[in-house]
């Protein structure tokens, strides 16, 4: 038996771990990037849901439907701006129900989130993010 000569099996497997690592690393990086992109998409949906809630609440505090629409749009735009959302062209649809005490105000906020801004890559395209929120008009307030 000669010392220093590797056995046949060890000779065949020499460097296999390095090759496997070199082949698997790009795949793992890609999976990591997809997970980060999905996390940022979920964050964008949460930001839009919060902005829709703030729009519905602002509208429910208004005295007239015109003021409700204006305040809802303003509240949604401020919430999106403060959150640093990657949304473009936000649209607020409002159902005020006459703003009668006890009525429900429904605010639906929709915007386009650019995938390049969302994932912080130069990925082309956009995704439409929509959320609806409800707020009840105070039942003890006086009617206008």
């Amino acid at each position: 038996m000669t010392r220093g000569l590797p056995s046949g099996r060890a000779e065949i497997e020499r460097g296999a771990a390095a090759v496997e690592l070199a082949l698997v690393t790009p795949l793992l990086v890609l999976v990591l990037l997809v997970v980060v992109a999905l996390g940022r998409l979920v964050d964008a949906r949460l930001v839009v849901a919060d902005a829709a809630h703030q729009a519905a609440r602002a509208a429910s505090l208004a005295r007239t439907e015109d003021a409700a629409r204006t305040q809802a749009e303003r509240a949604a735009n401020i919430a999106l701006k403060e959150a640093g959302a990657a949304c473009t062209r936000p649209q607020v649809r409002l159902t005020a129900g006459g703003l009668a005490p006890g009525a429900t105000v429904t605010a639906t906020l929709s915007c386009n989130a650019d995938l390049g801004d969302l994932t912080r890559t130069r990925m082309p395209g956009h995704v439409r993010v929509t959320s609806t929120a409800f707020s009840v008009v105070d039942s003890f307030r006086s009617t206008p």
Side-chain angles (χ1 to χ4, degrees):
M1 180 173 258
T2 58
R3 199 167 205 204
L5 289 176
S7 67
R9 183 156 180 89
E11 177 85 20
I12 294 171
E13 292 185 9
R14 178 176 280 175
V19 171
E20 290 171 1
L21 182 65
L23 292 174
V24 172
T25 300
L27 181 63
L28 292 176
V29 170
L30 180 64
V31 168
L32 179 68
L33 289 175
V34 168
V35 168
V36 169
L38 289 175
R40 290 191 48 85
L41 179 62
V42 168
D43 180 57
R45 290 183 189 277
L46 289 173
V47 167
V48 170
D50 178 57
H53 172 73
Q54 291 186 32
R57 181 67 182 147
S60 72
L61 296 175
R63 293 292 187 180
T64 65
E65 288 201 31
D66 288 336
R69 291 185 197 293
T70 302
Q71 291 176 10
E73 289 175 0
R74 183 179 302 134
N77 287 330
I78 289 172
L80 290 173
K81 183 178 179 184
E82 286 179 356
C87 287
T88 57
R89 293 177 282 154
Q91 298 173 339
V92 179
R93 283 180 299 174
L94 193 68
T95 305
L99 293 175
T104 301
V105 175
T106 305
T108 302
L109 176 63
S110 300
C111 68
N112 291 329
D114 291 327
L115 292 177
D117 292 339
L118 194 61
T119 60
R120 301 207 179 190
T121 62
R122 294 187 176 130
M123 187 181 298
H126 65 274
V127 63
R128 186 94 172 143
V129 183
T130 303
S131 184
T132 301
F134 305 94
S135 184
V136 177
V137 177
D138 187 9
S139 59
F140 296 106
R141 80 173 189 180
S142 62
T143 55

